[in-house]
Each structure stands twice: as structure tokens, then as C-alpha cells.
């Protein structure tokens, strides 16, 4: 066997080893695009949604995006839409808290979707708080969201606090749950809430103006960071 043949065989062996190593190399991790949770109302599922912004750059407080209502007997209600396009405008700690809250109830929320056969749903974090002494009763099934000329009642309820199902409060006590509504609720349009025929005191148009301002600021902060 001559020298030229040996060199050819050596080159072929080296090429074989390189190909084998390349085949065994790990596949790079897929880049996360920040797509919204599947089934959430009105979300396109990609980053082309003009209302979609990166998380971690917001400064809003939960009260800045909440619907508030004060029906009779000293009962106070706060309802926050858990829509990614809105809660990403919250401060990092608030956003993380609400995201982890949803994640902790993922199994229950998937079960709700299976029961109701919903293509999309609107999840609201609703808290009931009692001011007056004695016992204050509340009925989450009567918490109605008005939007687009329609009234939406909860399709299902996922309790968050022990004793929520008793539907009564002691003074200064808070009971909370995730209320799941039809995904046709459009948060870009006026939204109202009512309980016992008492409308919410929050002007949603003011909330939308606040949201739009913060959305522009978040884009600016994210661009500067990049």
C-alpha cells in the first residue's frame, strides 16, 4: 500500500469521525418567543399581536388594571383580567405573582376547559372583601361582566382561598377565586362589572388609556435594553 493510498484512507477516516461528532452534538434549545398561554381570549398565539410586549419592563400596580365594585353591606370587589397583554405591563414582581398564580391552578383550568369545551376563555382574579362587622355574604355566580352589549356570567370558578365555597366573609376577611368567562370578552372595548345590580366604579376607558401609555413605555424600555 503506497503513501498516497494511506493518506486517502486517513482523510476518509477523519471525515467519518467529524460527521459522527456533528450528528451526536446536542440540538440547540429552541428560542422562546413569549407566546401567550393557549386558549387565552383574543391572543393570536404569536408576537405579531400589536398589543404584545415583553415581560419585565412594566411599572403598573395591580390596582391600575382592576375593576372595582362596592355593592351593599360593605362588600368590596376587585377583579383583575389575567390577560398576558395586560399583566405584562405590571411591575416584574406583580407580573410574576399573577403568572405563578395561574400556573399553580393549571390543572384546574384545563379541567374547566374540558368541561366547557371552550375555544378560548377569559380568566379574572376576583377578590371579595368585607368592611362591616358581622357576616357578609356574597355570590360570585352573580358577578357579571358587561362588554360589547352583552352580559357575561362566570362559566366556572376555581377557588384560591380556603372557605371560598361558603360564600360568606367576616370583617376584614378576603376570599379570592379565578372566575372563568367566555373568551369573547374584548378588553380593548369598554368593560363593566356588577354584583347585585350595582355597577363597578371603575371607568375602563381610563384603564385603557393607562394601559396604552404603559405599553408604549414598555416598548421603549425594552428597546433601550436591547
Amino acid at each position: 500500500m503506497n503513501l498516497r493510498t494511506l493518506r486517502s484512507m486517513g482523510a476518509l477516516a477523519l471525515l467519518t469521525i467529524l460527521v459522527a461528532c456533528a450528528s451526536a452534538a446536542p440540538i440547540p434549545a429552541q428560542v422562546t418567543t413569549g407566546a401567550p398561554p393557549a386558549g387565552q381570549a383574543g391572543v393570536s398565539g404569536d408576537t405579531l399581536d400589536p398589543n404584545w410586549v415583553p415581560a419585565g419592563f412594566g411599572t403598573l400596580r395591580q390596582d391600575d388594571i382592576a375593576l372595582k365594585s362596592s355593592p351593599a353591606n360593605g362588600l368590596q370587589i376587585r377583579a383583575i383580567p389575567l390577560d398576558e397583554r395586560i399583566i405584562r405591563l405590571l411591575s416584574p414582581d406583580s407580573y410574576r405573582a399573577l403568572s405563578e398564580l395561574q400556573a399553580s391552578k393549571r390543572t384546574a383550568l384545563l379541567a374547566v376547559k374540558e368541561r366547557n369545551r371552550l375555544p378560548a376563555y377569559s380568566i379574572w382574579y376576583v377578590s371579595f372583601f368585607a368592611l362591616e362587622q358581622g357576616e357578609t355574604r356574597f355570590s360570585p355566580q352573580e358577578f357579571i361582566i358587561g362588554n360589547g352589549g352583552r352580559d357575561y356570567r362566570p362559566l366556572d370558578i376555581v377557588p384560591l382561598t380556603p372557605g371560598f365555597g361558603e360564600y360568606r366573609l367576616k370583617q376584614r376577611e378576603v376570599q379570592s377565586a379565578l372566575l372563568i368567562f367566555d373568551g369573547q370578552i374584548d378588553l380593548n372595548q369598554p368593560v363593566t362589572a356588577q354584583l347585585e345590580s350595582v355597577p363597578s366604579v371603575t371607568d375602563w376607558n381610563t384603564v385603557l388609556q393607562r394601559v396604552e401609555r404603559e405599553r408604549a413605555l414598555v416598548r421603549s424600555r425594552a428597546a433601550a435594553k436591547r
Side-chain angles (χ1 to χ4, degrees):
M1 186 177 295
N2 58 32
L3 182 59
R4 180 177 298 176
T5 301
L6 289 174
R7 286 177 178 173
S8 298
M9 292 177 64
L12 180 60
L14 178 60
L15 180 61
T16 302
I17 292 172
L18 290 175
V19 170
C21 290
S23 300
I27 300 173
Q30 186 176 7
V31 176
T32 301
T33 61
Q40 194 169 75
V43 179
S44 64
D46 58 46
T47 53
L48 297 179
D49 189 324
N51 293 327
W52 192 254
V53 297
F57 297 94
T59 61
L60 295 183
R61 299 172 298 116
Q62 291 186 17
D63 278 349
D64 291 331
I65 61 170
L67 274 177
K68 298 178 182 180
S69 181
S70 299
N73 302 325
L75 181 64
Q76 293 190 347
I77 305 168
R78 187 181 75 162
I80 298 174
L82 298 186
D83 188 306
E84 280 283 320
R85 296 164 299 179
I86 291 182
I87 65 174
R88 281 178 172 240
L89 304 174
L90 297 173
S91 66
D93 288 344
S94 290
Y95 172 70
R96 187 182 309 112
L98 293 182
S99 295
E100 291 175 355
L101 177 65
Q102 285 193 86
S104 70
K105 297 298 180 180
R106 177 176 174 79
T107 300
L109 291 172
L110 289 176
V112 168
K113 186 177 180 182
E114 284 298 315
R115 285 197 299 270
N116 292 277
R117 295 287 190 258
L118 298 175
Y121 47 88
S122 182
I123 306 172
W124 291 69
Y125 173 36
V126 184
S127 297
F128 300 85
F129 176 71
L131 285 174
E132 296 186 356
Q133 292 183 354
E135 183 178 272
T136 301
R137 292 189 171 273
F138 66 95
S139 177
Q141 293 88 349
E142 297 301 317
F143 182 76
I144 300 171
I145 291 180
N147 177 249
R150 290 182 56 187
D151 288 339
Y152 295 88
R153 293 179 180 271
L155 296 170
D156 227 313
I157 297 173
V158 177
L160 297 174
T161 50
F164 182 87
E166 296 178 6
Y167 303 147
R168 60 175 180 259
L169 297 163
K170 299 176 182 177
Q171 187 181 24
R172 302 290 178 182
E173 183 182 10
V174 179
Q175 291 286 351
S176 302
L178 299 180
L179 272 58
I180 296 89
F181 294 84
D182 191 308
Q184 295 185 55
I185 293 176
D186 183 1
L187 297 177
N188 292 315
Q189 300 297 324
V191 177
T192 61
Q194 66 177 15
L195 184 71
E196 300 174 359
S197 301
V198 179
S200 54
V201 297
T202 304
D203 180 3
W204 191 252
N205 287 326
T206 300
V207 174
L208 287 178
Q209 292 172 9
R210 186 179 300 133
V211 162
E212 285 303 320
R213 285 196 302 269
E214 186 66 18
R215 191 170 281 139
L217 290 171
V218 165
R219 291 195 182 101
S220 177
R221 294 179 197 122
K225 182 71 172 180
R226 288 195 295 268

